[in-house]
Structures are given as structure tokens and as C-alpha cells.
Amino acid sequence: MLELREITKRFGDVLANDRVSFAVAPGTIHALVGENGAGKSTAMRIAYGFYSADSGDVVVDGAVRRFASPQDAIALGIGMVHQHFMLVEPMTVAENIVLGIEPGNALQLDVAGAVSRIRALSAEFGLAIDPTARIEDLSVGQQQRVELLKALYRQARILILDEPTAVLSPQAVRDLFAILRRMREQGKTIVIVTHKLSEVLEISDEVTVMRDGKVVGNRRTAETSAAELARLMVGRDVLLRVVKPEGHPGKPVLAVRGLSSGALGTKDRERRLDGVSFEVRAGEIVGIAGIEGNGQTELIEALAGLAEPAAVTGTIELEGRDVEGLSARARRAGGIAHVPEDRHRRGLLLDFDLAENSILGADDRPPVAVGPWHLWLNREAIRRRTEKILKAFDVRPPDPDLPARSLSGGNQQKLILGRELEESPKLLLVAQPTRGVDIGGIEFIHRRLVEMRDAGCAVLLVSSELEEVTALSDRLLVMREGRIVGEVDPARATPEEIGLLMTGGNAAA
Amino acid sequence: MALEREKSLMKGLRQLIFPLAAVLAAFVAGSFLVLAVGDSPLATYQLLIGSAFTWPDGIGYTLFYATPLIFTGLAVAVAFRCGLLNIGAEGQLYIASFATAWVGITFAGLPAILLVPLCCLAAVLAGGVWGGIPGVLKARFGAHEVITTIMMNFIAIALASYFTQYHYKPPGDAILETVPIGEGGHIARLGRFVPGLPERIPLNLSFLLALATCVLVYLFLWRTRWGYEIRATGASPAAAQYGGIATGRQIVLAMALSGALAGMVGINEVLGYRYRYYDSFSSGYGFTGIAVALLGRNHPVGVILASLLFGALLRGGLFVDIFTEHVSKDLVMVLQGIIILFVAAEAMFRDRFRGPFGRRIKGV
Ligand SMILES: Nc1ncnc2c1ncn2[C@@H]1O[C@H](COP(=O)(O)OP(=O)(O)O)[C@@H](O)[C@H]1O
Ligand SMILES: [Mg+2]
């Protein structure tokens, strides 16, 4: 049905696809998995006519095709849902769908006709989308379904979804999978790109694994396992489960009471944190689950001292001492370390070298700063510190003179974690620690977090990856709309239970 | 260690390629212009460059013109390292020059050992305050420094003119300038120390001061915590805040420092050259400083090289004006403009090229 033959694609020095070949059987769901940068998106964009291959063929229905643009692919019945949606927010669903292929003549849009067709399609595949709704009023999951409708409206037989689950809540993922199965029943062929193994095993019929631009394996899903797929992806054995000995929580390190705040950085009155109270004890990992945008970012930033002080009310105590009025620097000095969720914007100075990045947050005191007023940077000490971090956290390549920008996501994150742990914090704030990090890196980071806990550090972990928070946390809090809506035992609670708390029972969110 | 030095040398040389290409391209484009108005490009450039490097006059004046540009170039570069565009170097150097002259006039009786440092201090402080105000306005109220520094330029120039006109002008003098400063405020011209360099050429000790300032600025930016925090603020305010850096304070510090550097032009102008405040003396040094910083990539070494180039163009331009039939010294302005255009285009090109992926190095 759809087949890639010996596809090779180069971007400058990067060999993004190296003789990639695989075939997708009609009427199946085919998963394409691989680490970040393995070349999955590139391969799919070539199949969709978005890029042209340097060499190799795209074969559809047994014939070699040349695509000058996605239009040619669409004409053959190929549709693609990108990771970032391409929708016009103030317009309606129907308007978005007909955009570019307006029915009727150019002056008179036949939107009414489109609305009824969309309604029929939506019913046929169980999408539950109202064609007259405005995009900006839809949830992320619904917007994704509009993208699906867009492809279906253009009579796609082969649907390519690039990391469709990255932005969804567990419920929405379940709904999406139900829709995909229904499409398969109706005879559609689906290619789903992902790097989450549990999803591969759940939804796909066949799976192709890519690593470093090459296809390293094809399996029938029924005949493989998560461990085998992980090994193919990473190229070595990977410990998928977090190994976590029994914790021994000690005295409370962080006590938060009645914490409320306005939206970060703005003066509007909307409360983004609404009376949040909890404790984190020494030697325990407290996880916060929740769909992104429900106050997790605001919570972490308020704790790290990055929120506008006037916007925050309530008390924050570190080992019984009120730190609410303290600056970010003073809180760091008090023993709070922070691995931020946005490592490009907050966590790193991308154009600075690794050495200069390794002193961010520690540049104001010995051994980094020496002499009168701690004015001089001690280059010898900085170099030693950097080399120590790069070695201990296996940052590759371990060259202190490289700009941080040149590291892969996983290595950037290891650098940040190493830098923050270098200060032997009492409290570690960690947000989305493994976003955009490859499987090998994830394993490493998880292990370090557990080690920190066992060394007596209090860890507050925010993650939108449900598997991650449940595996790592000793206690799990769920956040929704700026409030803590529940605490569950991560060892016992099912994803459904947690998901229900996350969405407030509203499965469509 | 040797390898490391070689690596950083290579890095430095690579940095030179694009600015050099921009300069070369500007000269090529300029030659078409010269052709178009009916002169010979070769002869014109020979005149332009040749006259800037004769000994002693050419070199002496080239270095003299380069001196204020080094100060303003450094000023713009320091602000830029903090993510700020200081358009106000012009106003800062005017207010500082006037303050220098004021101290030199008011304390005219003091001996050199006191008066020179006092005058220098006045230059640095006045410039620093004048630059610091927009810094405070930005840090406190978010007022954009481009707007406020432009406004402050008008105020500075008007204030200096006003005080000169109504309070410090020698009575009956037709020229808008102050009375001279005390003899103790004069600093030596380099002609006194360099054999073959006549003392009539105004190149003075402030040139050496400018070079020393470059070294200090380099050490400050890359070897001190304050410099690191200024650069971190400029590179990413969000990351700087995350690291506990008070970004508002860095903005004020950087602007004050920038103003102080621009203010040092007053030392060259008042103490080394005219020995008084002379109204509208600056032929846009503050603005040319932006070009210098841009071409010099906001690095002290680059600033020196760019200042020498622009200093030479200023010197050579005079000769082109006089000795060619059709070309005026505006050619220099055109060349400057084209150089800036190419340098700016290169910056855009560089960012475009890197794209959202960066130069990824694979690992793990
Ligand atoms: N447009 C592009 N320009 C330059 N490099 C690219 C481009 N698209 C992808 N790459 C590079 O190609 C490699 C594969 O990328 P991609 O196909 O996006 O991987 P995946 O989707 O598996 O994460 C990466 O190293 C990436 O940096
Ligand atoms: Mg991708």
C-alpha cells in the first residue's frame, strides 16, 4: 500500500534518513518508533511529499511516485497530522477544513455543504466534533481530531500521525486510539509515529524501529516486547522499570500552605494557584500529576522564587524557615535546586559554553567566585567543576568549550541535573525532567533522582508523563485548575483513576 | 595548553572572516558608485587608503579619529552584551565632555596631578549617570532604552549648548565654546614621546587609555562575576533569573557602564585636544560607535579593529573630498552604510542558517 524504498535524506552534515525501507500493509496500524532525532518525522514528511528524498522511492499502490508537494500526496489519498497543528484559531472547524480546497467557486464558499459532510464524517468515525465550533474553543484533543477530519475530508486512505499522543491526557489518548481502531475497521491505513513503547504495544499491528536514520527492525507487534523494542531503539539493553527501593522519609523539608498566585508575569487577576498546601519530606519523592497548564508551572516557579513576589500569597517554609519573601538567589543559597521544564529558555544559556552553563546559579560564591566582593571568576575551579559534572553525568561530548546549543536534549538535561545536584540541595524541584530526552537518558535521569532521594534530598517532581510520575513518586498529588484535587498511592492507583482526577471526570478534555 | 591556545586563536580568526568579507564587499560596491559619478575607483581608493596611512600625519590622525570610536564602540558593545541597544552614546559623550570642561574650568588652579584625575572622573561619572538613567527607567518601568536614550540625546546636547552659551562662553566670542580649562587639565600629546610625530597632531594619551580600557572591558566581561551576570542577562533574561541573577540590576549596571565608556570621549576631546568644551564637536561618534560595535562583533578586539578602519576612512575621506573631481567625502558614509548592511545581513543569515535544530552533535 505505502512503501518506502531505500530512502536517503541529508540535511547538511546530518544523515537524517539512511536507506530507510519499510512497507505498511493496507488496513493496518503501523507504528514507527525511535528516539528523538532518529529520523521518523523526516521519513514521514518524505512520504507526504513535504520533503523530497535525495535518493530512494516512495511507492503507493505498487507504483513509484514522485511528489512535487504534499498536494500530490493528498491526491493519492495520503493525509498527515503534524505534531504542531496547523489551524486558524478564530475560524470555525468547517472553515478550517475547507481552507485551501474551498468547495464551490472561489467567491462563494459552500460552507453549508461542507458542514453536513463533516458532520457525516465525524459520526462515521466517532469523532464527536461540531463543524460550527470555533477552533479556539476546542481542547487540544479536539483540535487534533479536526486535523484528522481535515485529512478524511480530503479522502485520505492512508493517515500519518506524527507523535499524536505527546500533547494528550491519558483519557484523550484512549479516545484517540478508539478512533484509530474505528478507522482501521473502515479500511483506513494508519502510520503512527511515537516514542512511547506502551502505546506501540497497545495500538499497532506492526512496528518499525529506527535508530540514527536507519531502520533497525521490523516486528509484528504481537511477537515483540517493550524490552526488545527499547533495545532496538537504544542499541543496548535498557532498564525500563524504575528500580526504587523502599523510601525512608524523614523530617518535612518543604511545607507549602495556602499558596495562591495570579498568572505568572502578568498582573491580571486570574488565579493560577488556588490554595495549594502540601509537604515534602526529606528522602521522599512527591509527584504532581496533571494535564499541563493546570498550575504546575506556576507552582514550581513560585517555589523557586521566580514568580512576581506581589502575585503570590500563602506561606512557603524550607525546614521551618519562611522563604516566601526571598529572592531566587537567596533560595538557592538556602538549599533549593531547580531543574526547569523549559530547558532552552530557563535552564541553559544556549550560546554560552558548557563551562559557563555549569556555573549558572552558583556564580556568586566560592569556589566559582573569589577575591574581593567575590568579583573574580576562578577559571581553574570552573573548569574542574565542569569536568566533574560532565564526567559524573555522562554528558557527551564532554567538551567544556562547546556551546550548550550543540548538545542533544538528553545531554542538555544531564548537564542541568548535574549542575543542580552539584550544590547538594535539600530540596530539588524537577519539572518535566525527561521531556525530549532519549530512552537511555531517561533511565539515567530517573536513577539519579532516586539516588538523590535515598541520599536524603526532598524531591518535588512535576511531570505530565503519567508513567513517569507514578513510577518515581512515593506520594502522588494530582493538580487541576490550580488546586490539588487529590492524593493517591502511586503503587496502587490505576491510570484511569488518576486520569479521572486530572480531568475532573470530563473525559473529553 | 598549546593546543587550547591554538583552538581559541582559530576561533578568533574565524570570527574575522565575515566582517572582512563585509568590508571587502562594501569596497567593491562603492567602486561602482565611484565609477557611476565618473571617477576612477582605483585612484580614489588609493587616495582614501594611502592618505590614512602616511607617516606621521596619516597614521597620527587615523589613530586620533579612532580614539573616540573605541570608547563609543566599547560603550555600545557592553550594553549590547546585556541585550540593550544604547543609541544614547552621543548624548552621554556630550554631557560628559561638558562636565569634564566644567571641572577643568571650575578647578582651573589645581595642579595636573589632581586636575587630570578629577576631570577624568567627571567624564566617567557624568556619562555613567546619563547612561544609567535609561537603565533605571528600563529596569523599573520597562521603558524601552532605544526611545529613552534618543530622548536623552536631545536633552544632553541642548543642556550643554545652553550652559556654554549663557554661562561659560568667553564674552564676545563668536564661536560656541567655553573658556579654556586650567593648564593642569591638559594631557600630553603622543608627539612628545614618539620621535617623528609632531605635537601639532592631536593624538594624545587617551589613545593609550582607550587601548587599556579595551583590556579592562575584556577582563570585566569574561573574567568577573559581574560581567558574567551582565552577559547572562543579555543572552537570556529568563535563564539569568533562574540562576538567581537580578536582571534589573544588571541592566542598570550595563547602561551606567556603557554611559561611562561613552563619556570617556570627553577625556580625548577636552583634555587631549581642544582644552575646552566646543559645541557640537562630535561628528556622530556615538552613532558610529554602533557601527563599530556591530562590525567588531561586540568584542573589545573587534572594536579596536573596526575603530581603526573607521578612523582611517574618516581621515582618508577628507583627502578624497579635496583631491578627486566628483567624489565627495560622503563616499565614506556610503561605505560605512554598506558595511553595516552586509554585517547585519550576515547576522540574519547566520541565525537563519542555524534554524530551529542548531548544530546538533549526536551523543548517547
Ligand atoms: N529541516 C531540517 N534541517 C536540518 N536538519 C534537520 C531537519 N529536519 C530534521 N533534521 C535533522 O535530522 C535528524 C532527524 O530528525 P527527525 O526526522 O525530526 O527525527 P525524529 O522525528 O525521529 O525525532 C535530526 O538530527 C534533525 O536534527
Ligand atoms: Mg519528530
Side-chain angles (χ1 to χ4, degrees):
Chain A
M1 178 107 202
L2 171 66
E3 189 183 349
L4 299 185
R5 277 191 200 148
E6 301 275 301
I7 294 279
T8 296
K9 176 78 183 173
R10 213 172 242 297
F11 294 108
D13 308 333
V14 180
L15 192 53
N17 279 180
D18 183 6
R19 287 178 291 133
V20 168
S21 301
F22 66 94
V24 180
T28 62
I29 298 181
H30 193 107
L32 181 59
V33 299
E35 307 243 57
N36 281 301
K40 309 178 295 289
S41 294
T42 303
M44 289 301 101
R45 284 177 186 161
I46 288 169
Y48 185 58
F50 196 83
Y51 294 147
S52 61
D54 298 341
S55 65
D57 298 315
V58 178
V59 179
V60 181
D61 298 330
V64 172
R65 313 286 177 162
R66 293 257 160 266
F67 298 148
S69 76
Q71 295 306 327
D72 299 342
I74 290 169
L76 276 173
I78 300 177
M80 183 158 175
V81 176
H82 296 272
Q83 191 170 347
H84 300 282
F85 307 146
M86 303 183 176
L87 299 171
V88 188
E89 298 242 308
M91 290 169 72
T92 66
V93 170
E95 284 165 342
N96 265 281
I97 289 176
V98 297
L99 211 68
I101 49 153
E102 288 84 354
N105 64 45
L107 290 174
Q108 255 181 310
L109 289 184
D110 180 17
V111 176
V115 164
S116 61
R117 262 198 68 200
I118 293 166
R119 208 161 258 144
L121 277 173
S122 172
E124 186 182 348
F125 295 101
L127 294 169
I129 292 288
D130 171 11
T132 61
R134 282 187 194 287
I135 298 295
E136 56 200 357
D137 298 331
L138 300 184
S139 70
V140 175
Q142 288 169 322
Q143 292 189 13
Q144 188 171 56
R145 278 179 262 153
V146 175
E147 288 280 6
L148 276 174
L149 269 175
K150 223 157 118 182
L152 293 171
Y153 191 87
R154 288 159 175 71
Q155 290 167 345
R157 301 168 296 142
I158 306 169
L159 279 144
I160 301 171
L161 292 91
D162 194 354
E163 310 240 2
T165 59
V167 290
L168 300 182
S169 69
Q171 256 75 15
V173 170
R174 244 194 4 215
D175 294 346
L176 174 69
F177 284 181
I179 291 164
L180 295 183
R181 289 198 187 97
R182 186 130 164 204
M183 289 180 165
R184 179 178 55 189
E185 279 162 28
Q186 309 273 8
K188 306 280 184 198
T189 304
I190 292 162
V191 183
I192 177 170
V193 176
T194 177
H195 60 249
K196 294 182 196 163
L197 297 178
S198 57
E199 294 175 359
V200 175
L201 296 174
E202 184 183 343
I203 186 77
S204 69
D205 302 306
E206 283 175 41
V207 48
T208 297
V209 186
M210 287 186 71
R211 182 171 80 234
D212 281 335
K214 294 192 234 341
V215 170
V216 291
N218 278 300
R219 297 286 186 278
R220 302 178 62 82
T221 308
E223 293 163 9
T224 185
S225 65
E228 185 191 22
L229 292 176
R231 192 173 57 241
L232 286 169
M233 278 169 74
V234 183
R236 63 177 169 81
D237 278 314
V238 181
L239 214 52
L240 284 174
R241 287 209 49 83
V242 176
V243 182
K244 198 179 65 172
E246 190 69 22
H248 301 286
K251 285 200 298 260
V253 172
L254 174 72
V256 178
R257 270 175 238 114
L259 197 66
S260 297
S261 83
L264 256 189
T266 68
K267 296 209 159 56
D268 75 4
R269 302 270 306 270
E270 189 191 346
R271 292 164 85 82
R272 301 302 299 276
L273 285 178
D274 195 357
V276 171
S277 302
F278 63 93
E279 277 189 354
V280 186
R281 288 169 292 170
E284 79 171 342
I285 299 179
V286 172
I288 295 191
I291 299 169
E292 257 183 275
N294 277 273
Q296 300 96 318
T297 308
E298 287 77 8
L299 173 63
I300 292 286
E301 303 234 315
L303 295 178
L306 296 171
E308 230 178 82
V312 182
T313 58
T315 60
I316 303 168
E317 282 179 5
L318 185 68
E319 294 189 319
R321 199 163 64 98
D322 189 4
V323 296
E324 224 244 276
L326 298 184
S327 67
R329 174 157 283 172
R331 291 189 204 195
R332 280 181 170 278
I336 299 182
H338 176 195
V339 177
E341 69 173 45
D342 188 340
R343 63 175 163 263
H344 286 170
R345 206 176 73 86
R346 274 239 191 263
L348 291 171
L349 297 157
L350 287 174
D351 290 320
F352 282 27
D353 61 29
L354 302 190
E356 289 194 312
N357 271 286
S358 81
I359 62 171
L360 187 62
D363 71 295
D364 62 323
R365 53 189 183 272
V368 171
V370 295
W373 307 301
H374 295 156
L375 181 61
W376 294 97
L377 295 176
N378 182 345
R379 311 227 307 156
E380 211 24 67
I382 294 172
R383 181 155 284 266
R384 271 200 308 273
R385 176 190 166 91
T386 311
E387 276 165 0
K388 182 176 154 205
I389 293 172
L390 298 185
K391 187 146 174 281
F393 284 79
D394 189 33
V395 178
R396 284 182 241 173
D399 178 353
D401 295 328
L402 279 178
R405 186 186 292 287
S406 67
L407 296 187
S408 71
N411 282 303
Q412 289 178 340
Q413 192 71 332
K414 288 193 281 185
L415 172 67
I416 293 174
L417 190 65
R419 173 184 75 203
E420 296 303 303
L421 297 190
E422 180 68 19
E423 300 301 307
S424 314
K426 296 177 184 136
L427 171 67
L428 180 61
L429 308 171
V430 200
Q432 317 292 1
T434 56
R435 172 169 297 168
V437 173
D438 38 88
I439 293 192
I442 291 174
E443 179 196 21
F444 185 92
I445 289 168
H446 284 173
R447 223 173 34 223
R448 284 306 168 109
L449 292 178
V450 173
E451 277 171 27
M452 276 313 281
R453 177 200 76 162
D454 292 341
C457 181
V459 181
L460 181 65
L461 168 71
V462 167
S463 173
S464 50
E465 300 279 346
L466 203 49
E467 278 178 49
E468 174 168 276
V469 267
T470 44
L472 281 172
S473 306
D474 299 308
R475 293 193 294 131
L476 185 59
L477 310 175
V478 181
M479 246 184 127
R480 172 163 46 89
E481 290 169 5
R483 279 188 291 269
I484 305 267
V485 292
E487 175 173 344
V488 298
D489 177 355
R492 294 230 184 78
T494 63
E496 284 70 26
E497 266 171 68
I498 301 169
L500 221 57
L501 280 170
M502 282 164 67
T503 56
N506 172 13
Chain B
M1 206 57 201
L3 189 78
E4 209 165 279
R5 201 165 309 134
E6 197 167 305
K7 218 162 66 179
S8 72
L9 187 73
M10 284 308 294
K11 223 159 79 185
L13 285 180
R14 251 205 314 274
Q15 295 278 308
L16 271 178
I17 293 174
F18 268 112
L20 277 181
V23 171
L24 218 68
F27 272 78
V28 170
S31 67
F32 288 108
L33 203 78
V34 175
L35 263 181
V37 299
D39 264 320
S40 147
L42 212 65
T44 307
Y45 283 144
Q46 220 160 26
L47 199 60
L48 183 69
I49 296 165
S51 59
F53 293 105
T54 56
W55 177 255
D57 280 65
I59 290 177
Y61 273 100
T62 290
L63 297 184
F64 171 67
Y65 289 132
T67 307
L69 296 182
I70 295 179
F71 288 127
T72 55
L74 281 179
V76 175
V78 165
F80 197 84
R81 288 281 173 185
C82 192
L84 301 162
L85 195 51
N86 179 11
I87 311 275
E90 189 77 357
Q92 290 144 19
L93 67 87
Y94 268 114
I95 213 78
S97 298
F98 183 81
T100 313
W102 180 80
V103 170
I105 295 164
T106 310
F107 304 102
L110 290 181
I113 186 120
L114 289 176
L115 194 53
V116 169
L118 216 54
C119 284
C120 290
L121 197 66
V124 169
L125 280 182
V129 168
W130 211 254
I133 292 170
V136 172
L137 292 177
K138 168 129 195 172
R140 277 241 108 134
F141 310 109
H144 202 288
E145 77 279 2
V146 166
I147 310 287
T148 51
T149 51
I150 289 177
M151 305 291 220
M152 300 267 300
N153 279 347
F154 290 113
I155 300 174
I157 293 168
L159 271 183
S161 287
Y162 170 81
F163 280 109
T164 309
Q165 168 82 9
Y166 292 105
H167 296 281
Y168 293 97
K169 203 167 72 133
D173 196 338
I175 306 170
L176 197 53
E177 59 182 16
T178 64
V179 294
I181 61 171
E183 293 262 339
H186 295 202
I187 58 176
R189 299 198 165 177
L190 287 190
R192 193 183 300 170
F193 316 108
V194 181
L197 187 69
E199 275 202 62
R200 70 180 154 76
I201 295 177
L203 177 64
N204 59 77
L205 282 175
S206 22
F207 175 67
L208 300 184
L209 179 65
L211 296 183
T213 308
C214 284
V215 176
L216 289 180
V217 166
Y218 174 82
L219 290 177
F220 175 80
L221 282 177
W222 280 279
R223 296 293 159 80
T224 72
R225 166 166 72 90
W226 293 352
Y228 173 79
E229 295 188 354
I230 282 182
R231 287 185 300 117
T233 301
S236 166
Q241 281 158 8
Y242 157 86
I245 295 168
T247 49
R249 201 153 28 171
Q250 306 311 316
I251 287 172
V252 176
L253 179 62
M255 280 305 293
L257 210 61
S258 177
L261 288 164
M264 290 174 82
V265 169
I267 299 171
N268 181 55
E269 167 68 18
V270 178
L271 306 187
Y273 175 35
R274 273 193 244 256
Y275 312 124
R276 53 162 50 86
Y277 176 79
Y278 182 90
D279 196 58
S280 22
F281 71 87
S282 163
S283 43
Y285 292 135
F287 302 115
T288 311
I290 300 170
V292 167
L294 201 59
L295 184 63
R297 300 210 140 170
N298 302 303
H299 192 285
V301 174
V303 163
I304 294 178
L305 295 176
S307 299
L308 290 178
L309 171 72
F310 285 157
L313 288 180
L314 280 176
R315 161 72 183 172
L318 290 176
F319 280 72
V320 168
D321 207 22
I322 299 167
F323 294 109
T324 57
E325 203 141 325
H326 305 287
V327 187
S328 79
K329 73 168 186 287
D330 296 331
L331 172 67
V332 169
M333 295 298 287
V334 173
L335 286 178
Q336 269 184 25
I338 301 177
I339 292 173
I340 299 312
L341 213 63
F342 279 120
V343 171
E346 184 258 319
M348 253 159 59
F349 185 66
R350 186 164 16 116
D351 289 344
R352 175 76 48 87
F353 219 61
R354 192 156 57 205
F357 295 97
R359 286 183 214 99
R360 271 247 174 116
I361 292 174
K362 299 251 358 179
V364 176

